[in-house]
Amino acid sequence: MPEAILSIQNLEKSFGALRATQSVSVDLVPGEIHVLIGPNGAGKSTLIAQIAGTLLPDSGEIWLDGKNITRLSVAERARRGLGRSFQVSSLAEDLSVKRNVMIAVQALQGSSFRFWTPVHSDPSLVGPALEALTRMGLDARADTPVAELSHGERRQVEVACALALKPIALLLDEPMAGLGPEGTAKLTLLLEKLKHDVPILLIEHDMDAVFRLADRISVLVAGEVVAHGDSDAIRNNPQVREAYLGDDRCSA
Amino acid sequence: MTSLDSTQQSRAKSRPLPAFTREQWVSLILLAGLALAASVAHFAGEPYFVDLASRIAIIALAGVGLNLALGFGGLVSFGHAAFFGLGGYTVSVGAFHAFNMTPILGIDFLPAGSDQMVPLWITAMSVCGVVAWLIGRISLGTSGVYFIMITLAFAQMIYYFAVSWPAYGGEDGLPIYIRNQFYGLDTTNSLVFFGLSFALLLLALGFCQRIMAARFGAALTMARLNPVRLATAGVEPRPIKQVAFVISGMITGLAGALYADLNGFVGPSMLSWHQSGEIMVIVILGGVGRLCGPLAGAILIVLMETFLGGLTEHWQFFLGLIILMVVLFAPGGVMGLLAGRARHA
């Protein structure tokens, strides 16, 4: 098995008596999509927050590309190549799509303490931003304010922002949430291509997309990884079917 | 949409003279109007109105400083009088020691003060920069109402410090007997002093426009609109805000330095929270986050103060009404009314 790009080791997080994360170990190897699934309240968001750096774990370690990033800030993690998208889109609504992506390019190039050269005509910023947008099929919308985008387009801009960082690992939190079947199909296709460049840790509820995309699946229940394996193994795991899939299939 | 895109691209390539936006036209008219009014008043032999124009330029400059923090950075500082007053006191104290030929602060190895504007301005801005850095360092860990309160608290501390320090006049303030010098110019001439104030206002406006268009401005804008996005993109929001706050304090401090020379006097009232409020009102009336908003606000306030104040003592009641109208019906301020909604490229 190849060396893991992102490795989460024995992560623990408690809120009072609630053990939201119980010795979770997950890793991400090059070229794969590793999907995290779990019912509501399983602790997915808490886990994501710890990986992304908004929440400090009680114990355990997070390694990115052979370096311990457990205690680094969100921005520092991003600079080291951890791209993420949010469950609820987090973009600057008033700014154009291009501007939202450009800020990531700017960070990638180094210091933001540059006071003189205007950004709007700086090809070293605009170029890579448009490239990331083109990759998501959004180049035609580059100058549109985010506020005027559809829900699905916003999700794609989120991914484009993450891509503009030239990440070495991607953390996508329910990118399909709220997308219609068409949008989901489109994004599924994109992620399938994308994984060969950047391995993706994906949190997703859409089971068809999960089984289609996943190279490996980890099932999180009550803060614990209860099952781990490829799509077939998870689909046929009686424990998982009982705890999770059975209900979800009915409601979906 | 596509035709618009292609025209923008070709414009970027061939670079003809950039077309002015409506906001730029309005700004240009306001600036030209102010300069014209001052010149006309001067040649009509009305130095009082020239000084009024200087006052507008200086208060606008203080607003430009606050606008960088409040408008562009979303940092609602209710303590900018600290910088305004410190700028003023720096100049006053410098002039006081130059006049008495005593060392600054009574410390022997420090030089005697100066009656030259340029070193006084630089000192005032440095003092304000250091103080802004300290205040920012502590207050930027908070946000919202706590940020407002902490900045207010710091300004009040400095205010009470000035009130209780008898060496520099305490409650009575400190006069500047002879207006400070700017190289060979006759600074006592109202129009010359207006010219200096106006030139510094133009410089500050140009500087703000430039940095807001640059990477720093892009990061600051994102820090205001969505700090989470900024951090996710790999830029720490806090140092960006810190630097913006420092520059903001320095510009407002420079305005305070000019204001002291304009009035020939500096008192603790320049440090008071009323003063913070006035600078804030100028920014909000003029249009938060609009480059020349503070100028529009300063023109409105000073004109109202002068002409309405001439008619009735209760002019502040009408000022209150106008602020209410602006907040309710024209959230973009005067600039929003004149030039339409703010546009982001």
Side-chain angles (χ1 to χ4, degrees):
Chain A
M1 198 160 164
E3 185 92 357
I5 295 276
L6 178 69
S7 161
I8 291 118
Q9 297 163 3
N10 302 314
L11 223 53
E12 291 270 355
K13 181 77 193 177
S14 301
F15 300 103
L18 176 73
R19 290 183 70 194
T21 307
Q22 302 186 32
S23 78
V24 169
S25 297
V26 182
D27 62 5
L28 190 63
V29 295
E32 76 162 345
I33 293 182
H34 188 159
V35 186
L36 264 171
I37 59 172
N40 286 331
K44 296 190 297 286
S45 300
T46 310
L47 182 60
I48 285 293
Q50 291 170 79
I51 302 172
T54 46
L55 199 64
L56 201 64
D58 296 338
S59 68
E61 285 175 351
I62 303 163
W63 290 71
L64 180 69
D65 196 24
K67 281 165 201 105
N68 189 341
I69 60 164
T70 318
R71 301 198 161 263
L72 297 185
S73 71
V74 175
E76 183 63 27
R77 285 171 209 227
R79 282 198 294 276
R80 287 177 188 227
L82 183 65
R84 80 165 289 197
S85 79
F86 293 84
Q87 191 178 353
V88 178
S89 292
S90 182
L91 298 162
E93 299 268 318
D94 292 346
L95 297 184
S96 67
V97 168
K98 192 168 71 187
R99 276 300 179 99
N100 271 279
V101 183
M102 273 162 70
I103 200 81
V105 182
Q106 175 174 329
L108 185 70
Q109 290 184 357
S111 171
S112 285
F113 290 107
R114 293 198 211 162
F115 298 91
W116 214 243
T117 319
V119 289
H120 68 87
S121 56
D122 187 341
S124 69
L125 287 177
V126 179
L130 288 178
E131 197 185 302
L133 284 171
T134 308
R135 222 160 147 189
M136 297 305 294
L138 272 173
D139 40 330
R141 303 291 261 162
D143 292 309
T144 313
V146 168
E148 289 170 23
L149 294 187
S150 72
H151 180 78
E153 285 172 321
R154 280 174 206 222
R155 315 253 37 157
Q156 289 170 305
V157 176
E158 285 251 328
V159 180
C161 286
L163 282 181
L165 272 175
K166 300 221 182 298
I168 54 173
L170 267 181
L171 191 61
L172 303 183
D173 193 356
E174 299 197 25
M176 323 270 185
L179 292 188
E182 198 189 325
T184 307
K186 210 168 133 191
L187 196 55
T188 306
L189 219 61
L190 276 166
L191 295 186
E192 240 169 3
K193 271 191 280 175
L194 194 58
K195 73 170 183 182
H196 300 294
D197 301 328
V198 197
I200 302 170
L201 185 62
L202 182 69
I203 288 83
E204 193 45 66
H205 269 309
D206 185 312
M207 280 306 153
D208 293 331
V210 169
F211 285 128
R212 176 157 171 206
L213 284 171
D215 296 298
R216 287 191 290 157
I217 301 177
S218 293
V219 184
L220 203 65
V221 176
E224 246 179 319
V225 177
V226 296
H228 175 94
D230 63 16
S231 293
D232 287 336
I234 295 297
R235 218 191 303 245
N236 299 321
N237 184 324
Q239 208 187 341
V240 174
R241 290 187 75 104
E242 191 191 345
Y244 181 58
L245 287 180
D247 296 338
D248 203 86
R249 278 261 169 105
C250 294
S251 60
Chain B
M1 199 61 223
T2 40
S3 65
L4 192 78
D5 287 350
S6 58
T7 51
Q8 276 175 355
Q9 276 169 7
S10 63
R11 192 179 292 166
K13 267 176 213 157
S14 59
R15 290 211 178 207
L17 284 174
F20 272 23
T21 64
R22 196 162 151 195
E23 183 170 343
Q24 284 168 323
W25 275 117
V26 171
S27 308
L28 203 68
I29 290 167
L30 289 178
L31 285 166
L34 183 64
L36 193 69
S39 314
V40 169
H42 176 75
F43 291 113
E46 294 275 5
Y48 169 76
F49 288 106
V50 183
D51 283 346
L52 212 59
S54 301
R55 210 169 111 77
I56 289 175
I58 292 168
I59 292 180
L61 180 62
V64 169
L66 178 62
N67 198 27
L68 189 64
L70 193 157
F72 295 121
L75 306 167
V76 185
S77 163
F78 197 25
H80 259 52
F83 310 121
F84 195 63
L86 277 175
Y89 266 98
T90 306
V91 165
S92 251
V93 168
F96 173 78
H97 286 293
F99 190 74
N100 292 346
M101 294 194 283
T102 49
I104 299 173
L105 304 177
I107 302 170
D108 284 334
F109 57 84
L110 286 178
S114 167
D115 61 355
Q116 289 296 319
M117 284 184 178
V118 173
L120 287 171
W121 291 343
I122 292 171
T123 316
M125 289 177 80
S126 312
V127 168
C128 289
V130 170
V131 173
W133 191 85
L134 288 171
I135 295 179
R137 185 90 194 126
I138 294 164
S139 61
L140 286 170
T142 65
S143 61
V145 97
Y146 299 100
F147 183 79
I148 298 176
M149 285 299 128
I150 291 188
T151 48
L152 173 64
F154 274 109
Q156 286 302 93
M157 275 166 57
I158 297 171
Y159 169 79
Y160 284 112
F161 186 76
V163 165
S164 61
W165 198 7
Y168 298 121
E171 227 171 319
D172 299 326
L174 191 65
I176 301 174
Y177 295 110
I178 303 164
R179 192 173 273 176
N180 294 301
Q181 301 299 306
F182 187 90
Y183 300 114
L185 295 178
D186 173 18
T187 51
T188 52
N189 180 315
S190 292
L191 192 66
V192 169
F193 190 75
F194 170 80
L196 288 174
S197 310
F198 189 71
L200 288 177
L201 174 65
L202 286 181
L203 268 178
L205 285 172
F207 179 74
C208 283
Q209 187 190 33
R210 194 83 204 196
I211 65 170
M212 285 315 294
R215 287 174 191 222
F216 176 76
L220 185 63
T221 304
M222 195 55 94
R224 166 172 55 96
L225 295 174
N226 193 338
V228 175
R229 165 57 54 203
L230 186 63
T232 307
V235 183
E236 305 279 1
R238 199 163 157 182
I240 298 283
K241 292 181 184 174
Q242 171 90 19
V243 169
F245 193 75
V246 168
I247 298 174
S248 163
M250 288 169 76
I251 294 175
T252 301
L254 178 62
L258 287 168
Y259 202 65
D261 254 329
L262 174 70
N263 297 331
F265 173 77
V266 60
S269 69
M270 264 179 86
L271 288 161
S272 72
W273 65 273
H274 296 102
Q275 186 69 59
S276 293
E278 192 181 320
I279 303 173
M280 201 188 253
V281 163
I282 281 163
V283 172
I284 293 170
L285 264 187
V288 175
R290 311 295 287 260
L291 187 67
C292 280
L295 176 61
I299 291 174
L300 194 66
I301 289 272
V302 172
L303 289 186
M304 280 186 56
E305 201 176 69
T306 310
F307 295 106
L308 237 75
L311 296 176
T312 162
E313 268 175 58
H314 309 294
W315 70 275
Q316 290 196 324
F317 171 78
F318 296 99
L319 175 65
L321 274 185
I322 289 186
I323 294 172
L324 201 65
M325 299 295 244
V326 165
V327 171
L328 286 178
F329 301 113
V334 176
M335 220 53 192
L337 278 179
L338 295 177
R341 266 200 71 190
R343 290 193 321 175
H344 293 285

